[in-house]
Amino acid sequence: MFTFLLLYLSVVSTVNATIRRVGFIASIQPVNGLDYVNFQAAHDASLSGDTIQLYATTTGTITYSGTINKPVLIMGPGYFTNSYYLTGTEIPNINLQNMPGSISSCSFIIDLGSAGVIFQGINNLTINTVNQVNALNNININRCRNVNIAFTNSGLCNGWNISQCYGVTIVQSGPSAGFLGDRTISNLSISNSVIFASITFSTSPAGTYAGNLMYNCDFLSGSSLALNNATFKVQNCIFEGQTFSGVTNVSFIKNLTTLSAATNPISTNAGSSGNLFSINYSNVYINYPVNLISGGFNTSSPDGRLALKVGSPAIGAGFLLNTSTVTNCGAYGGTNAYVLSGIPGIPVYYQLGAPSAVTVGGTYSLTFSIKSNN
């Protein structure tokens, strides 16, 4: 573990990236070039490859917003901490510190120059592509909660990657009057995520689809796919019911659904194969749809309850993409499994031991443990 930290520091030093903090509160004075009063100030001071860390407040909630035009890593602390800020009856997630306060929401506009930007560990993330006829490519969103993407007045969007997220909504609605341009969506990848809302596409007035994927996702009750006959491969997913429209050009491979095969596009679409139908949903997850209560507390987090239970029909029911290698279906399967609470992929100290006193001239020994969270 210590070797990992040295390697991490070496990599950071090599690329000369800077970490900038927004919303950090401490008893010390803000550090010039490190601490910023808002997101936009930190962004504008950043260079390509820098990290912008967003902090929760000490009490209550905080929101962040701004426009992005450079490839930076924007990192929050994760979600489902402090009894998840829900009913107050849940247990804290042991993967994260029990932080005071929370990040209520983050809303960002993607502009030219943003190719390669990464969003990670952010709660209630909204992304807009506003009045942009040029290409907005290679946007990466992972380990975020309640992701809401609006491809409204946008040009070509290629190579967007959404992974390990809890809650994903995508709306590509018709552009406003007078907006012209290619609105193609290509090489979009949505993987290892939990989806309980809509994914809707419309390239009008001009645009096509190519190379799009959805795999290892959990489509819970309330989710829907309205794909405007876009070309997609959907693989290793679990559907609690189905609300589909415009899925003529979707190939479904190694998925599970609670509905029957009769007149089902998962069964009848060209290129579909290896799917399981009429599954009993109560046999799939460890704690869904009802989260079990013990001593007045829920026994698992909202995302943790979607882990596969022993004997689940989703175990070993999928294939890794473009292989015949067996994997599990759902968000916890595949090679990039869902990470509880969206904990960011950075080293974290989780244990420190030190003697309270030591003999003068003696050795002062420290023991500590680090996990990478990658």
Side-chain angles (χ1 to χ4, degrees), residues 129 148-157 169-175 181-186 188 198-209 226-228 230 232:
T129 57
N148 190 332
I149 300 173
F151 291 127
T152 305
N153 283 3
S154 63
L156 184 148
C157 293
T169 301
I170 300 176
V171 178
Q172 186 191 28
S173 57
D182 187 345
R183 303 180 72 223
T184 289
I185 300 292
S186 60
L188 167 68
S198 63
I199 297 177
T200 304
F201 291 101
S202 173
T203 54
S204 176
T208 58
Y209 307 95
L227 301 184
N228 193 32
F232 266 89

Side-chain angles (χ1 to χ4, degrees), residues 20-239:
R20 304 178 195 276
R21 303 185 300 202
V22 186
F24 179 74
I25 299 175
S27 58
I28 62 173
Q29 291 293 320
V31 179
N32 186 40
L34 175 63
D35 293 308
Y36 293 83
V37 296
N38 57 55
F39 169 81
Q40 198 65 58
H43 169 277
D44 294 349
S46 294
L47 302 176
S48 297
D50 284 356
T51 295
I52 301 174
Q53 289 187 325
L54 306 178
Y55 284 79
T57 57
T58 54
T59 58
T61 62
I62 189 171
T63 62
Y64 292 106
S65 63
T67 298
I68 300 167
N69 59 18
K70 60 187 71 173
V72 291
L73 168 58
I74 304 168
M75 182 180 294
Y79 45 86
F80 294 154
T81 60
N82 278 1
S83 297
Y84 319 132
Y85 308 109
L86 296 177
T87 67
T89 61
E90 282 76 21
I91 57 174
N93 193 314
I94 61 174
N95 291 284
L96 293 173
Q97 69 274 26
N98 193 23
M99 302 185 308
S102 70
I103 295 177
S104 175
S105 63
C106 295
S107 181
F108 300 109
I109 294 173
I110 297 293
D111 208 341
L112 293 181
S114 59
V117 68
I118 301 171
F119 299 92
Q120 189 174 96
I122 297 176
N123 188 52
N124 293 332
L125 172 65
T126 296
I127 297 175
N128 286 280
T129 57
V130 178
N131 295 326
Q132 190 57 257
V133 298
N134 303 92
L136 298 167
N137 296 336
N138 303 323
I139 307 300
N140 301 280
I141 305 160
N142 59 80
R143 304 187 190 185
C144 294
R145 179 188 178 212
N146 293 343
V147 176
N148 190 332
I149 300 173
F151 291 127
T152 305
N153 283 3
S154 63
L156 184 148
C157 293
N158 178 71
W160 285 50
N161 178 46
I162 304 165
S163 65
Q164 300 173 305
C165 291
Y166 186 85
V168 177
T169 301
I170 300 176
V171 178
Q172 186 191 28
S173 57
S176 55
F179 183 90
L180 301 174
D182 187 345
R183 303 180 72 223
T184 289
I185 300 292
S186 60
N187 299 308
L188 167 68
S189 174
I190 305 172
S191 66
N192 295 92
S193 295
V194 179
I195 299 170
F196 39 82
S198 63
I199 297 177
T200 304
F201 291 101
S202 173
T203 54
S204 176
T208 58
Y209 307 95
N212 300 304
L213 296 169
M214 298 182 199
Y215 59 98
N216 282 101
C217 291
D218 295 305
F219 289 86
L220 305 186
S221 176
S223 64
S224 64
L225 296 178
L227 301 184
N228 193 32
N229 296 323
T231 301
F232 266 89
K233 177 190 286 187
V234 177
Q235 183 167 332
N236 303 341
C237 295
I238 304 173
F239 292 93

Side-chain angles (χ1 to χ4, degrees), residues 255-270:
N255 302 282
L256 284 72
T257 177
T258 58
L259 300 187
S260 68
T263 68
N264 192 329
I266 293 181
S267 172
T268 60
N269 275 15

